[in-house]
Amino acid sequence: MIISMKKGATKEQIEHVCRRIQEFGYKVHSIQGEERVVIGAVGVGDVTACLESLEAAPGVESAVRISSPYKFVSREFKPEPTRVRVDGAELGGGEFVVMAGPCSVENEKQIMAAAEGVARAGAKILRGGAFKPRTSPYDFQGLELEGLKLLAKARQATGLAVVTEIMSDGDVNRVAEVADILQVGARNMQNFALLKALGKCPKPILLKRGMSSTVKELLMSAEYITAHGNPNIILCERGIRTFETATRNTCDIAAVAVLHELTHLPVILDPSHASGKRSLVPALARAGVAIGADGLIVEVHPEPEKALSDGAQSLSLAEFSRMMEELKPYLGLWKASRSVAAPAPA
Ligand code: PEP
Ligand code: MN
């Protein structure tokens, strides 16, 4: 159950509702909200009697039963799309937002050239890993703090917002100082200590789907972040492990549409990790636009053949610019479909 309190509900009214929830045998799981207090009641009890009692309680706006295990992020709880705002862009509304940049921040010249190039081609957000989760301990692990400093420099020079990966709950503050969006990578989608810490972070979170995770598990991870206080989450489909070896991962394009049915959170597609192959990225990007994703995250490197990570799937600046040009007619249709989908003005 989710109980939304009226704007301006008093502390006593909120405490009364929490007490009643507990009397019915439920646990008060979390209280959150920017404008109003929203209370989650989880567990087993007499739902109908509890709802009836709470609906009549002073200060309560609404009390609804949410059948899905992910409550705050479900469409049942909030039918209208959540708009996640970052400096210079908004995801989940009428704008298709492209995030682009290298897999890893490697040096100043590389990140500056990437930032300037992707900005010129129309990206709104610069991506670049400073802390890198690598399969081999002998591979490049990222520049860490030095990488964060270079991202800050690139943002200053181009005005682009920055998205970068966070791997550990101990790093939240220092990454959040620089990042406009904190990225949780596929390998950390179920790092619950990290998810809880990000619930306390004031910045938006980009949550990537684990390579062997179901859509439901992705939504449960988003629920962790929301239940701990941060509702600003962008979900990302980045391909999953299957028997198929022709691509690095199998792009589960349907997941974008499935997620839009199940959750109000914005959903983007990562055609780079989903394919692992530069030549396939533009086609998957078009598929992302066509299926109604809210944006893309694309790996772009000024010299892909010299990249310290994920060179094979990175576009050159010229290839990225061409892809952005080629996406334009599709984006026209995307915008038209969004305005049809939007509710008519009152
Ligand atoms: C990345 O974005 O560079 C990355 C490591 O992605 P994923 O977590 O999806 O593998
Ligand atoms: Mn990568």
Side-chain angles (χ1 to χ4, degrees):
M1 269 169 296
I2 301 281
I3 296 90
S4 301
M5 302 300 292
K6 287 184 178 148
K7 267 188 207 167
T10 65
K11 194 165 161 272
E12 289 71 34
Q13 289 171 336
I14 295 164
E15 281 169 4
H16 171 74
V17 167
C18 292
R19 248 193 331 273
R20 289 297 286 147
I21 291 171
Q22 284 157 349
E23 281 164 15
F24 276 97
Y26 292 97
K27 255 175 85 180
V28 173
H29 187 68
S30 74
I31 301 178
Q32 58 135 48
E34 285 160 34
E35 284 195 342
R36 66 184 75 229
V37 172
V38 181
I39 303 167
V42 289
V44 186
D46 185 343
V47 187
T48 314
C50 185
L51 279 177
E52 269 174 21
S53 153
L54 292 175
E55 270 163 2
V60 170
E61 172 87 31
S62 66
V64 287
R65 179 185 191 158
I66 308 285
S67 53
S68 59
Y70 40 87
K71 305 210 179 285
F72 289 119
V73 304
S74 71
R75 278 260 181 214
E76 269 179 290
F77 171 53
K78 183 171 178 276
E80 71 280 6
T82 284
R83 295 174 180 223
V84 176
R85 285 177 199 93
V86 282
D87 203 12
E90 186 186 69
L91 289 112
E95 205 185 326
F96 188 85
V97 178
V98 178
M99 311 180 185
C103 179
S104 306
V105 181
E106 297 170 5
N107 56 59
E108 182 164 348
K109 186 163 164 262
Q110 173 244 20
I111 194 66
M112 287 300 180
E116 279 155 18
V118 300
R120 223 176 302 122
K124 288 284 156 51
I125 299 173
L126 174 66
R127 66 147 288 149
F131 295 90
K132 292 303 302 176
R134 304 305 303 279
T135 303
S136 165
Y138 307 117
D139 283 343
F140 178 57
Q141 304 286 307
L143 298 181
E144 302 190 341
L145 292 184
E146 182 54 25
L148 292 179
K149 281 189 200 148
L150 294 178
L151 284 169
K153 249 189 177 173
R155 180 183 41 204
Q156 182 127 44
T158 58
L160 291 175
V162 162
V163 57
T164 195
E165 182 156 354
I166 170 124
M167 296 206 298
S168 155
D169 51 323
D171 288 336
V172 173
N173 290 342
R174 53 189 186 161
V175 175
E177 250 173 55
V178 169
D180 298 280
I181 305 174
L182 283 77
Q183 171 179 331
V184 178
R187 291 156 191 81
N188 274 306
M189 189 204 86
Q190 287 187 317
N191 177 343
F192 298 114
L194 176 61
L195 301 179
K196 287 179 194 175
L198 292 173
K200 306 270 178 290
C201 175
K203 298 276 175 84
I205 309 300
L206 172 62
L207 180 64
K208 298 186 88 176
R209 179 180 182 181
M211 61 189 82
S212 303
S213 299
T214 62
V215 163
K216 182 175 164 188
E217 286 162 344
L218 171 63
L219 290 169
M220 293 308 292
S221 290
E223 185 76 8
Y224 257 93
I225 301 171
T226 302
H228 285 83
N230 185 355
N232 290 309
I233 303 166
I234 303 151
L235 302 173
C236 179
E237 164 59 36
R238 46 78 72 206
I240 49 172
R241 277 247 167 115
T242 68
F243 57 82
E244 180 57 74
T245 54
T247 48
R248 179 180 178 183
N249 292 291
T250 295
C251 179
D252 184 7
I253 193 75
V256 177
V258 172
L259 284 165
H260 274 146
E261 276 191 7
L262 298 176
T263 178
H264 50 83
L265 296 174
V267 183
I268 66 168
L269 181 72
D270 175 345
S272 310
H273 292 86
S275 65
K277 205 169 157 198
R278 172 179 319 130
S279 63
L280 300 174
V281 170
L284 289 189
R286 287 196 296 277
V289 176
I291 203 159
D294 297 282
L296 299 171
I297 182 163
V298 185
E299 286 190 338
V300 181
H301 195 289
E303 295 177 285
E305 65 289 351
K306 293 193 184 156
L308 297 182
S309 60
D310 286 350
Q313 66 195 34
S314 299
L315 300 180
S316 67
L317 290 168
E319 285 163 339
F320 177 66
S321 177
R322 196 174 321 127
M323 183 188 91
M324 292 293 275
E325 246 345 278
E326 286 168 4
L327 280 181
K328 280 185 180 159
Y330 297 86
L331 288 173
L333 294 171
W334 183 95
K335 272 201 190 313
S337 72
R338 285 284 157 130
S339 54
V340 169

